[in-house]
């Protein structure tokens, strides 16, 4: 009998309406509340499943949601690891949003030989970071399981794995350090470590004092009254360098916004068929449209403009290439530094002293870490006094390096008005009656490090309909004239933030570690 047309239509409609995410659920099935062991291969007895459920429940009480999953499926070890991570993501195996503390034991058993196959243990990032289930511990657990699994004793092998996971989470990971290393640590820990740590910290502090004494000779003018008026016609990058006393990658962002404010380019919502395209951070995506090269003036502008031109396709830089603009920072930094030194505002010798102070801080913290490791291996807290002394010297060196400005006396005089400008912006949030020209202020606010102080005022202005002249508010057929500028401003800040920043988002398996093998 041929299927009726109405049934065919119903099936087609359901195939369109069911979300794509169901695919992952169909592959593994649907998780059941209170169940942790899924024997889809039917290789365990009911008593064995019950025993494993008890062990898995104990692990969950210890703070790690756990799933044991067995199925008949030919695969490699690498595919089994991928399957375990896919299950962790599809079932969202973690205690809460962003926790990443789940554990999965995944078994792909051969259909022709269900007692053997491949298995993987995957532990969430939280356990990797704590060291309870880092790669070394997972490898150790897998090595303990494999001999039993290769004998065909699946239930016993899984029980060994679950017991080891529970032990690591509750009692701490067993030490994998060889005994001779621990003996050496015991010899040097205690008073010997305190003596060496004390002498090293004194040497570091003496070097810090020597270098610091050479950085406090610059005469600084008296502070001026705070103001929100831009105190001169310096390029934002130059003004920002004077205020900060050093060069920061934020000065690239300030130069880009300055070019936009002068009409050389425009920042706009990304062209897409979606009503509001969003980047990885969840914020709407942006693109950069190059408009008028005649408004590019200084050598600094030209370096950035040339980089933008290289990235553009038909004068538009698409969203996925906008972050590549940061790659022009080293050349921008070189030109900016040459101009600051040429004007007599920056002293390369002071930069050298600043780097030496940072080197001393890094050395002190490295020695602190070594001392802490020795104390932990020796299990002798007496050596902590040496570690504390080293840590203190590192903090002093860090404070000295952070407080060292590369400006000369002439540079400090030029910076005085701009420092007053930054203080004025920082106080602006407390004055609800203050009218601010954000179109002109934003490049300078970013340059001097005061954009955060204007954040609430900018958000309020955006809610009232404000957007800078350099921001394209309208996209035909995609976004109406009422586009809220503020979310795009957040995207600009995140896109051009100095490399190394990030957020704590990610799926359940992000940052996880895995081990396992064939049996």
């Amino acid at each position: 009998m041929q299927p009726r047309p109405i049934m065919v239509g119903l099936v087609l409609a359901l195939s369109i309406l069911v979300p794509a995410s169901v695919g992952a659920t169909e592959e593994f099935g649907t998780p059941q509340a209170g169940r942790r062991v899924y024997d889809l291969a039917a290789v365990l007895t009911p008593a064995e499943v019950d025993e494993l459920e008890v062990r898995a429940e104990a692990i969950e009480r210890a703070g790690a949601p756990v799933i044991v999953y067995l199925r008949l499926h030919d695969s490699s070890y690498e595919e089994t690891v991928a399957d375990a991570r896919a299950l962790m993501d599809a079932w969202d195996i973690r205690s809460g949003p962003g926790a990443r503390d789940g554990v999965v034991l995944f078994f792909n058993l051969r259909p022709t030989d269900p007692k053997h196959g491949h298995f993987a243990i995957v532990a969430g990032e939280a356990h990797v970071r704590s060291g309870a289930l880092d790669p070394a511990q997972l490898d150790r657990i897998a090595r303990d399981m494999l001999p039993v699994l290769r004998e065909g004793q699946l239930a016993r092998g899984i029980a060994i794995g679950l017991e080891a996971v529970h032990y690591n989470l509750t009692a701490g990971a067993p030490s994998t350090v060889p005994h001779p290393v621990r003996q050496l640590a015991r010899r040097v820990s205690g008073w010997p470590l305190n003596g060496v740590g004390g002498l090293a910290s004194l040497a570091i502090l003496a070097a810090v004092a020597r270098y610091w004494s050479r950085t406090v000779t610059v005469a600084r003018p008296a502070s001026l009254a705070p103001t929100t008026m831009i105190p001169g016609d310096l390029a934002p990058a130059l003004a920002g360098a004077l205020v900060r006393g050093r060069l920061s990658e934020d000065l690239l962002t300030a130069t880009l916004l300055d070019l936009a404010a002068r009409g050389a380019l425009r920042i706009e919502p990304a062209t897409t068929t979606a009503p509001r395209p969003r980047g990885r951070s969840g914020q709407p995506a942006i693109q950069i449209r190059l408009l008028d090269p005649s408004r590019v003036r200084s050598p600094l502008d030209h370096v950035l403009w040339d980089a933008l031109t290289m990235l553009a396709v038909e004068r538009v830089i698409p969203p996925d290439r906008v972050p590549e603009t940061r790659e022009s920072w080293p050349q921008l930094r070189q030109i900016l530094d040459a101009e600051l030194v040429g004007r007599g505002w920056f002293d390369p010798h002071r930069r050298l002293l600043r780097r030496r102070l940072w080197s001393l801080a890094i050395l002190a913290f490295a020695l602190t870490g070594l001392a802490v490791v020795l104390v932990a291996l020796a299990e002798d807290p007496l050596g902590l006094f040496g570690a504390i002394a080293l840590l203190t010297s590192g903090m002093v060196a860090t404070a000295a390096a952070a407080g060292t400005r590369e400006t000369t006396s002439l540079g400090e005089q030029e910076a005085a008005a701009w420092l007053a400008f930054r203080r004025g912006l920082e106080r602006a949030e407390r004055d609800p009656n203050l009218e601010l020209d954000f179109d002109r202020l934003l490049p300078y606010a970013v340059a001097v490090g005061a954009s955060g102080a204007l954040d609430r005022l900018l958000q309020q202005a955006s809610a009232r309909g404000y957007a800078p002249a350099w921001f394209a508010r309208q996209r035909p057929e995609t976004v109406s004239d009422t586009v809220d500028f503020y979310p795009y401003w957040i995207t600009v800040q995140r896109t051009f933030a100095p490399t190394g920043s990030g957020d704590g988002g990610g799926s359940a398996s992000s940052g996880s570690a895995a081990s396992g093998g064939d049996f």
Side-chain angles (χ1 to χ4, degrees):
M1 179 182 295
Q2 297 293 327
R4 296 181 180 179
I6 189 170
M7 294 300 294
V8 174
L10 180 59
V11 171
L12 290 174
L14 287 174
S15 67
I16 294 173
L17 293 174
V18 174
S21 62
V22 173
T25 304
E26 289 177 348
E27 181 181 357
F28 302 115
T30 304
Q32 301 174 18
R35 182 179 177 187
R36 301 164 188 86
V37 181
Y38 294 80
D39 180 19
L40 278 66
V43 292
L44 303 175
T45 67
E48 290 172 336
V49 170
D50 290 343
E51 179 189 352
L52 296 178
E53 283 282 0
V54 172
R55 294 180 181 275
E57 184 180 2
I59 292 174
E60 192 158 314
R61 287 198 302 270
V66 62
I67 293 293
V68 178
Y69 193 94
L70 303 93
R71 68 175 182 179
L72 299 176
H73 184 70
D74 271 324
S75 68
S76 65
Y77 165 66
E78 291 75 14
E79 292 170 335
T80 304
V81 171
D83 290 338
R85 287 187 165 125
L87 174 68
M88 183 176 282
D89 289 337
W91 286 9
D92 200 27
I93 303 170
R94 50 183 166 182
S95 60
R100 289 189 246 172
D101 55 359
V103 176
V104 170
L105 280 73
F106 199 101
F107 292 76
N108 276 325
L109 305 174
R110 301 188 191 108
T112 57
D113 184 10
K115 290 290 186 179
H116 298 88
H118 293 87
F119 85 102
I121 314 174
V122 171
E125 184 182 11
H127 306 307
V128 178
R129 289 182 179 275
S130 70
L133 296 173
D134 61 15
Q137 292 299 325
L138 294 181
D139 287 343
R140 182 186 60 80
I141 294 172
R143 285 195 301 268
D144 291 344
M145 295 172 62
L146 277 171
V148 180
L149 292 174
R150 285 168 179 163
E151 293 175 359
Q153 302 182 53
L154 287 175
R156 185 180 165 210
I158 296 171
I160 290 172
L162 292 176
E163 182 179 357
V165 169
H166 182 262
Y167 181 88
N168 280 28
L169 292 175
T170 55
S175 174
T176 57
V177 180
H179 183 63
V181 177
R182 300 180 70 87
Q183 286 184 326
L184 177 63
R186 289 191 177 102
R187 289 195 189 100
V188 301
S189 187
W191 287 115
L193 180 59
N194 288 336
V196 173
L199 290 174
S201 62
L202 287 175
I204 291 173
L205 289 173
V208 169
R210 178 187 174 192
Y211 293 143
W212 176 252
S213 65
R214 301 179 185 179
T215 68
V216 295
T217 57
V218 173
R220 293 184 172 87
S223 298
L224 302 178
T227 179
T228 57
M229 301 294 294
I230 298 175
D233 58 357
L234 279 182
L238 290 173
L242 289 171
V243 168
R244 297 169 183 264
R246 59 182 176 83
L247 300 180
S248 167
E249 198 171 339
D250 289 332
L251 302 180
L252 182 150
T253 310
T255 304
L256 180 78
L257 294 176
D258 188 40
L259 286 173
R262 284 189 267 129
L265 57 87
R266 185 170 64 213
I267 298 173
E268 57 189 22
T271 302
T272 178
T273 56
R276 175 168 282 191
R278 294 188 177 273
R280 293 182 181 179
S281 65
Q283 294 295 327
I286 59 170
Q287 63 188 27
I288 298 175
R289 186 177 299 276
L290 306 183
L291 299 177
D292 188 357
S294 68
R295 299 178 184 265
V296 178
R297 300 167 186 166
S298 68
L300 198 67
D301 294 342
H302 279 286
V303 169
L304 182 55
W305 183 264
D306 290 344
L308 296 173
T309 303
M310 293 289 292
L311 296 173
V313 178
E314 296 182 354
R315 302 180 69 82
V316 174
I317 303 175
D320 59 334
R321 303 206 68 184
V322 169
E324 296 180 35
T325 307
R326 292 196 302 253
E327 296 176 8
S328 63
W329 168 241
Q331 192 174 358
L332 243 73
R333 180 189 181 99
Q334 185 177 4
I335 292 178
L336 188 57
D337 181 57
E339 183 164 358
L340 289 163
V341 173
R343 294 190 182 207
W345 293 346
F346 267 36
D347 181 358
H349 181 64
R350 295 175 65 81
R351 180 178 306 132
L352 178 61
L353 293 175
R354 187 168 179 268
R355 288 174 178 172
R356 288 177 177 175
L357 288 169
W358 278 121
S359 298
L360 289 171
I362 293 171
L363 174 63
F365 289 134
L367 292 176
T368 301
L370 177 60
V372 170
V373 169
L374 290 173
V375 168
L377 291 176
E379 299 178 347
D380 182 7
L382 183 61
L384 284 175
F385 290 106
I388 292 172
L390 288 167
L391 177 63
T392 302
S393 66
M395 295 173 65
V396 171
T398 299
T404 298
R405 293 170 57 82
E406 299 175 17
T407 44
T408 63
S409 295
L410 183 61
E412 288 293 334
Q413 293 175 13
E414 189 70 26
W418 294 99
L419 287 166
F421 171 65
R422 183 176 68 178
R423 290 194 298 272
L425 294 181
E426 291 170 346
R427 297 183 182 183
E429 186 178 12
R430 298 193 290 269
D431 188 351
N433 300 318
L434 191 63
E435 294 291 335
L436 297 177
D437 182 1
F438 287 110
D439 277 42
R440 292 196 63 213
L441 286 179
L442 284 179
Y444 286 96
V446 170
V448 301
S451 59
L454 301 181
D455 188 77
R456 187 175 65 86
L457 294 177
L458 184 59
Q459 187 173 9
Q460 293 172 349
S462 179
R464 295 192 299 267
Y466 166 77
W470 44 261
F471 176 71
R473 295 175 55 87
Q474 184 174 4
R475 255 198 344 264
E477 302 177 359
T478 58
V479 176
S480 68
D481 288 337
T482 59
V483 171
D484 185 5
F485 165 68
Y486 183 75
Y488 291 93
W489 171 244
I490 297 298
T491 298
V492 170
Q493 292 180 301
R494 291 184 177 179
T495 299
F496 296 101
T499 53
S501 59
D503 55 39
S507 61
S509 67
S510 296
S512 61
S515 188
D518 63 310
F519 59 94

